């Protein structure tokens, strides 16, 4: 049942809730002290949600997933500034929240209300549920972010490493049948741990040297802590060098315990050189711990190897501190960022914190102290140690073709950091988004990094019906917080209660590894397909536990809970985010050039000088500075503008092409018209010549001819004798013209011929004229002119018929007359 304190939730705020997200408590008139902004504070089954009263939007700084909350305190702070001694100082009721993402936020509640108490109790019940399936990831379900079987994805990566992925794809049927036990000339995939009986924290499939049998594997497992025996994590496809991982050997206090099976397995990692070079490759055993810590573990049965017992080996200690040192280091870094950020959780600017004379806008003593405080946190030193260790291992594998076995105590924290970071340096595939997913799933998830313990979530042992008791400690009158600080005339010591739901196993190991990846991305900006924004989004999703990929402590536990079927998949969510925009999405690196870095990355020691990761470390403490200094964001903005200009250019070019095509079409039509016009003009000239010839021929017969431009062609013959003049008419229609012209070039021709008859002329005058002038008149009195008639005045026949078809066939010209 959902209990709501105060006014009912309106529809405007409901639009902020995710699928299956429900409001448990809410408080009105709450002030976010960091920014002095008023709004509504909601506690849901997934997050702490702060909505601005002014803008009605979510305030990112005041919104935090419940799984990200490390601890929270209920404080009562007395304000003494500007008050007379007789006045009773008012008390501010505050709620202070510490986040695993380096945030410290403080909420102020109205006096004489129970809102702070209601919100505090809601956080107590929601931040660490007694059962794993009470988490939001299980309540929400897979929704639309379904993913395929993680076992199939692991086998797919194994097939790639062994060079058999090109012709074989893993399937659920293959996993159920156990038919994935394939091999190449050096290595083989074993199903000996398919039921997790060999090691509960190892994956179901393991890669071993081909020369080692499963019986020898069983014998060797008893000599390593938690049965985490040496297995292959990555192998070089060309040289045969491998990167292997394990836990510490159980050599005992005197370091005199040995195992023949373990020594044989480790020696099998040093295969013959693929190039035919004589001898066997060298083996380095990289112990991630400080030497003194390794020796101290001998008192509890652990310890480190002796180089004399392992063939052609060398032992190297990297001196990386344990999980407790990392936890304290991150806590000090968080205090530093909150103290010296633009605004702190007490609402005060770092420039005004210590007062006194200022230099450069801030107190000189404060500036110097901030530098030493950052160094005292030790975080950057720890990051540098991990980077240096991974770079050293990568150089041994790449330059010497040596094999390296990496371990720490249990083989799932520092070992995982070194092995996965070394793989990222050696293999360009892991520097793509798809390869990065495969790397994380193989070395972090499959090989049993205890995410539930390190993030502070319920584990398999705490998921039964017995609720996990929440530890509380009273801090009344003695609470020392980095966020509520002493300042003259401002605050007095707070009093209240504190709650920490993180166990002693909590440690930011995975966060530190992602920080190391960001440092490599800074050093080699063109070597990675993904951007810094992708890493921040990815890390936020892991810490929030919104998806099921990083729940539980091992592959076995996730299978027992059916996490992959019951919860959403983080990789599907990230893929959907950048699927719409493709390579232009902010998750993709603008500077990525796979051809430039197609081999291993081997950073020199001098380059391994880490800095604060602005997009993650400074995003809450110095948001404006991060935004102003984000070169990638500026380049992306310029790239977006360039893309828009390119689209406009393409549109203009298409329009130009269309106009050019239209002009060419019109020009073609114009050329056709000119050709037709020229042809018509030529025909008209020919017709004019023929008309002139006909006219001269008729006039030579003593006739009068008249051409007019009216309808049909008409021939008028006037015959004058003793009697009254006689007129004969002959009409020729347009269809009987000399030749047909195009429809738009036809012209009407009217020919009027007048014959004046004189009685003085003999009756056969026309016949004599025809005989004397016409070259077609035959000697026998016949006319070779087709269809021509004789001039018979009496019978009113036209002596010379204007037969234009005949003229055309005979091609009459001036030469005839």
């Amino acid at each position: 049942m959902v209990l709501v304190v105060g006014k009912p939730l309106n529809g405007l705020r409901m639009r902020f809730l995710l699928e299956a997200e429900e409001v448990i408590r809410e408080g009105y008139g709450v002030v976010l002290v960091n920014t002095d902004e008023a709004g509504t504070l909601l506690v849901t089954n997934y997050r702490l949600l702060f909505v601005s009263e002014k803008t009605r939007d979510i305030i990112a700084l005041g919104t935090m997933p419940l799984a990200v909350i490390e601890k929270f305190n209920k404080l009562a702070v007395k304000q003494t500034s500007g008050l007379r001694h007789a006045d009773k100082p008012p008390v501010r009721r505050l709620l202070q929240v510490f986040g695993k993402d380096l945030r410290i936020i403080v909420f102020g509640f109205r006096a004489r209300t129970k809102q702070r108490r209601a919100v505090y109790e809601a956080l107590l019940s929601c931040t660490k549920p007694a059962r794993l399936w009470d988490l939001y990831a299980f309540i929400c379900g897979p929704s639309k972010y379904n993913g395929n079987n993680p076992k199939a994805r692991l086998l797919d990566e194994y097939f790639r490493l062994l060079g058999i992925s090109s012709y074989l794809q893993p399937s659920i049927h293959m996993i159920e049948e156990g038919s994935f036990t394939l091999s190449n000339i050096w290595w083989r995939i074993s199903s000996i741990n398919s039921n997790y009986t060999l090691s509960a924290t190892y994956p179901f499939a393991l890669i071993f040297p081909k020369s080692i049998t499963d019986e020898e594997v069983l014998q060797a497992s008893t000599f390593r802590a938690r049965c985490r025996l040496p297995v292959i994590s990555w192998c070089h496809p060309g040289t045969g060098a491998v990167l292997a991982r394990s836990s510490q050997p159980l050599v005992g206090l005197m370091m005199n315990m040995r195992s023949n099976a373990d020594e044989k397995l480790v020696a099998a990692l040093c295969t013959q050189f693929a190039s035919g070079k004589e001898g066997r490759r060298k083996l380095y055993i990289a112990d991630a711990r400080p030497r003194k810590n390794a020796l101290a573990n001998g008192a509890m049965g652990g310890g480190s190897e002796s180089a004399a017992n392992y063939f052609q080996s060398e032992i190297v200690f990297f001196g990386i501190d344990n999980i407790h040192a990392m936890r304290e280091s991150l806590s000090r870094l968080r205090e530093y960022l909150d103290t010296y950020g633009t605004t702190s959780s007490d609402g005060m600017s770092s420039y005004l914190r210590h007062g006194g004379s200022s230099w450069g806008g801030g107190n000189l003593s404060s500036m110097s102290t901030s530098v030493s405080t950052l160094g005292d946190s030790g975080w950057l030193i720890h990051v540098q140690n991990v980077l240096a260790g991974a770079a050293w291992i990568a150089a041994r594998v790449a330059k010497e073709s040596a094999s390296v076995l990496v371990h720490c105590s249990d083989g799932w924290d520092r070992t995982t950091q070194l092995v996965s970071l070394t793989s990222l340096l050696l293999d360009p595939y892991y520097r793509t988004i798809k390869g990065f997913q495969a790397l994380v799933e193989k070395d972090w998830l499959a090989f049993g990094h205890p995410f539930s313990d390190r993030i502070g979530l319920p584990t398999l042992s705490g998921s039964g019906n017995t609720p996990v008791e929440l530890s509380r400690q009273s801090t009344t009158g003695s609470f020392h917080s980095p966020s509520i600080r002493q300042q003259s005339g401002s605050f007095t010591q707070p009093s209240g209660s504190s709650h920490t739901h993180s166990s002693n196993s909590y440690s930011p190991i995975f966060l530190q590894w992602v920080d190391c990846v960001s440092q490599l991305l800074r050093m080699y900006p063109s070597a990675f397909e993904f951007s810094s924004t992708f890493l921040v989004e990815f890390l936020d999703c892991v810490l929030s536990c919104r998806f099921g990929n990083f729940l539980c402590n091992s592959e076995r536990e996730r299978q027992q809970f059916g996490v992959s079927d019951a919860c959403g998949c983080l990789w599907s969510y990230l893929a959907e985010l950048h699927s719409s925009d493709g390579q232009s999405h902010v998750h993709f690196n603008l500077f990525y050039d796979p051809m430039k870095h197609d081999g291993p990355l081997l950073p020199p020691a001098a380059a391994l000088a880490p800095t604060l990761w602005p997009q993650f470390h400074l995003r809450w403490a110095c948001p404006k500075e991060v935004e102003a200094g984000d070169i990638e964001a500026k380049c992306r903005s310029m790239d977006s503008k360039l893309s828009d200009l390119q689209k406009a250019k393409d549109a203009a070019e298409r329009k130009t092409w269309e106009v050019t095509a239209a002009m060419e079409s019109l020009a073609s039509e114009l050329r056709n018209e000119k050709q037709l016009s020229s042809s018509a003009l030529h025909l008209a000239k020919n017709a004019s010549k023929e008309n002139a010839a006909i006219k001269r021929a008729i006039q030579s017969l003593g006739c009068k001819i008249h051409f007019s431009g009216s309808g049909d062609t008409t021939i008028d013959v006037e015959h004058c004798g003793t009697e009254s003049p006689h007129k004969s008419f002959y009409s020729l229609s347009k269809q009987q013209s000399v030749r047909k012209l195009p429809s738009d070039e036809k012209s009407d021709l009217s020919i009027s011929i007048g014959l004046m008859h004189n009685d003085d002329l003999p009756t056969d005058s026309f016949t004599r004229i025809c005989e004397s002038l016409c070259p077609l008149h035959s000697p026998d009195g016949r006319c070779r002119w087709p269809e021509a008639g004789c001039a018979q005045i009496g019978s009113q026949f036209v002596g010379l018929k204007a037969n234009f078809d005949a003229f055309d066939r005979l091609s009459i010209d001036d030469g005839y007359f």
Side-chain angles (χ1 to χ4, degrees), residues 446-484:
F447 277 96
H449 176 70
F451 276 99
S452 284
D453 289 343
R454 299 297 178 259
I455 296 178
L457 293 175
T459 60
L460 183 62
S461 59
S463 59
N465 295 325
T466 304
V468 177
E469 185 174 350
L470 303 174
S471 60
R472 303 188 190 185
Q473 61 179 7
S474 177
T475 59
T476 304
S478 61
F479 180 78
H480 299 281
S481 169
S483 301
I484 305 299

Side-chain angles (χ1 to χ4, degrees), residues 411-423:
W412 53 39
D413 290 314
R414 289 164 285 189
T415 298
T416 304
Q417 287 181 324
L418 289 173
V419 169
S420 56
L421 201 60
T422 302
S423 300

Side-chain angles (χ1 to χ4, degrees), residues 228-303:
R228 294 175 65 90
L229 75 165
V231 294
I232 296 171
S233 176
W234 182 84
C235 48
H236 196 288
T239 65
V242 300
L243 190 60
R245 59 182 298 167
S246 70
S247 61
Q248 64 181 343
L250 303 178
V251 296
L253 179 60
M254 303 303 294
M255 298 187 68
N256 57 356
M257 302 296 293
R258 296 180 63 176
S259 169
N260 291 333
D262 183 78
E263 292 172 13
K264 181 179 179 181
L265 174 57
V266 173
L269 300 176
C270 300
T271 59
Q272 297 288 342
F273 288 102
S275 60
K277 181 180 176 181
E278 293 184 2
R280 300 174 68 87
R281 69 183 75 248
K282 188 172 183 179
L283 171 69
Y284 290 95
I285 299 178
D287 194 327
R289 303 166 293 180
R291 183 187 293 269
K292 62 179 182 179
N293 291 19
L295 296 176
N297 272 279
M300 297 179 289

Side-chain angles (χ1 to χ4, degrees), residues 510-522:
F510 187 70
L511 187 155
Q512 187 180 59
W513 178 77
V514 178
D515 193 349
C516 291
V517 176
S518 75
Q519 303 294 337
L520 293 177
L521 177 58
R522 176 182 58 82

Side-chain angles (χ1 to χ4, degrees), residues 652-789:
E653 288 179 349
R654 287 195 300 270
K655 187 67 176 177
T656 302
W657 183 86
E658 293 174 359
V659 172
T660 303
M663 291 179 64
E664 290 179 353
S665 177
L666 291 174
S668 178
E669 293 180 2
L670 182 60
R671 286 192 296 270
N672 292 337
E673 290 292 336
K674 288 182 177 180
Q675 291 177 357
L676 293 176
S677 176
S678 176
S679 176
L681 182 61
H682 179 69
L683 293 176
K685 290 181 178 179
N686 290 340
S688 177
K689 289 181 180 180
E690 294 174 359
N691 291 339
I694 295 172
K695 182 177 180 180
R696 287 195 297 272
I698 294 175
Q699 288 177 347
S700 67
L701 299 178
C703 302
K704 293 181 179 180
I705 185 170
H706 173 72
F707 294 91
S708 65
S710 59
D712 295 336
T713 302
T714 304
I715 299 176
D716 297 330
V717 180
E718 296 184 2
H719 176 258
C720 299
T722 55
E723 299 177 358
S724 62
H726 184 80
K727 294 183 180 180
S728 298
F729 301 93
Y730 181 81
S731 180
L732 179 66
S733 65
K734 286 186 288 186
Q735 287 77 7
Q736 297 172 310
S737 60
V738 175
R739 66 183 66 183
K740 292 186 179 179
L741 300 178
S743 59
D744 56 345
E745 298 178 6
K746 292 181 180 180
S747 60
D748 297 329
L749 180 63
S750 178
I751 303 176
S752 178
I753 302 176
L755 298 178
M756 300 303 297
H757 186 255
N758 195 330
D759 290 338
D760 297 335
L761 295 175
T763 57
D764 58 343
S765 59
F766 284 102
T767 302
R768 291 194 301 270
I769 293 174
C770 185
E771 291 176 353
S772 61
L773 294 179
C774 183
L776 297 178
H777 191 79
S778 60
D780 56 357
R782 289 183 301 175
C783 181
R784 291 197 295 266
W785 195 320
E787 301 179 7

Side-chain angles (χ1 to χ4, degrees), residues 340-604:
Y340 298 102
T342 304
T343 57
S344 301
S345 57
D346 59 4
M348 182 174 297
S349 171
S350 61
Y351 293 112
L352 306 176
R353 185 167 305 286
H354 297 283
S357 60
S358 60
W359 169 79
N363 185 273
L364 181 58
S365 175
S366 173
M367 294 292 183
S368 302
T369 304
S370 70
V371 177
S372 62
T373 304
L374 175 60
D376 291 342
S377 71
W379 181 258
L380 297 181
I381 299 298
H382 294 314
V383 170
Q384 186 177 26
N385 288 340
V386 177
L387 283 170
W392 187 90
I393 298 172
R396 302 287 80 75
V397 175
K399 292 186 174 296
E400 299 179 18
S401 297
S403 292
V404 182
L405 171 62
V406 184
H407 71 75
C408 51
S409 296
D410 294 319
W412 53 39
D413 290 314
R414 289 164 285 189
T415 298
T416 304
Q417 287 181 324
L418 289 173
V419 169
S420 56
L421 201 60
T422 302
S423 300
L424 196 75
L425 290 170
L426 290 172
D427 197 336
Y429 172 69
Y430 292 137
R431 300 195 286 269
T432 65
I433 290 181
K434 184 179 179 182
F436 184 79
Q437 173 186 343
L439 177 67
V440 171
E441 289 198 299
K442 174 173 65 71
D443 282 320
W444 287 90
L445 293 171
F447 277 96
H449 176 70
F451 276 99
S452 284
D453 289 343
R454 299 297 178 259
I455 296 178
L457 293 175
T459 60
L460 183 62
S461 59
S463 59
N465 295 325
T466 304
V468 177
E469 185 174 350
L470 303 174
S471 60
R472 303 188 190 185
Q473 61 179 7
S474 177
T475 59
T476 304
S478 61
F479 180 78
H480 299 281
S481 169
S483 301
I484 305 299
R485 301 174 182 83
Q486 287 281 0
Q487 182 174 356
S488 177
S490 181
F491 291 99
T492 63
Q493 284 284 359
S495 63
S497 60
S498 171
H499 166 67
T500 302
H501 76 258
S502 297
S503 67
N504 196 43
S505 298
Y506 163 72
S507 185
I509 298 299
F510 187 70
L511 187 155
Q512 187 180 59
W513 178 77
V514 178
D515 193 349
C516 291
V517 176
S518 75
Q519 303 294 337
L520 293 177
L521 177 58
R522 176 182 58 82
M523 286 187 276
Y524 301 98
S526 60
F528 294 83
E529 183 185 26
F530 48 83
S531 65
S532 182
T533 304
F534 170 82
L535 291 177
V536 172
E537 182 82 31
F538 168 68
L539 191 54
D540 284 343
C541 289
V542 173
L543 295 176
S544 71
C545 297
R546 179 181 173 184
F547 305 97
N549 304 72
F550 295 86
L551 300 180
C552 304
N553 286 329
S554 65
E555 181 185 275
R556 173 176 172 267
E557 289 186 9
R558 282 185 289 274
Q559 177 178 302
Q560 183 175 344
F561 275 101
V563 171
S564 61
D565 296 326
C567 303
C569 179
L570 167 64
W571 311 112
S572 299
Y573 169 73
L574 293 177
E576 184 177 278
L577 283 183
H578 57 246
S579 61
S580 58
D581 297 333
Q583 296 293 326
S584 62
H585 194 271
V586 293
H587 285 179
F588 289 92
N589 181 11
L590 283 177
F591 311 110
Y592 178 55
D593 185 2
M595 302 305 296
K596 186 176 181 180
H597 298 285
D598 57 351
L601 301 178
L602 302 176

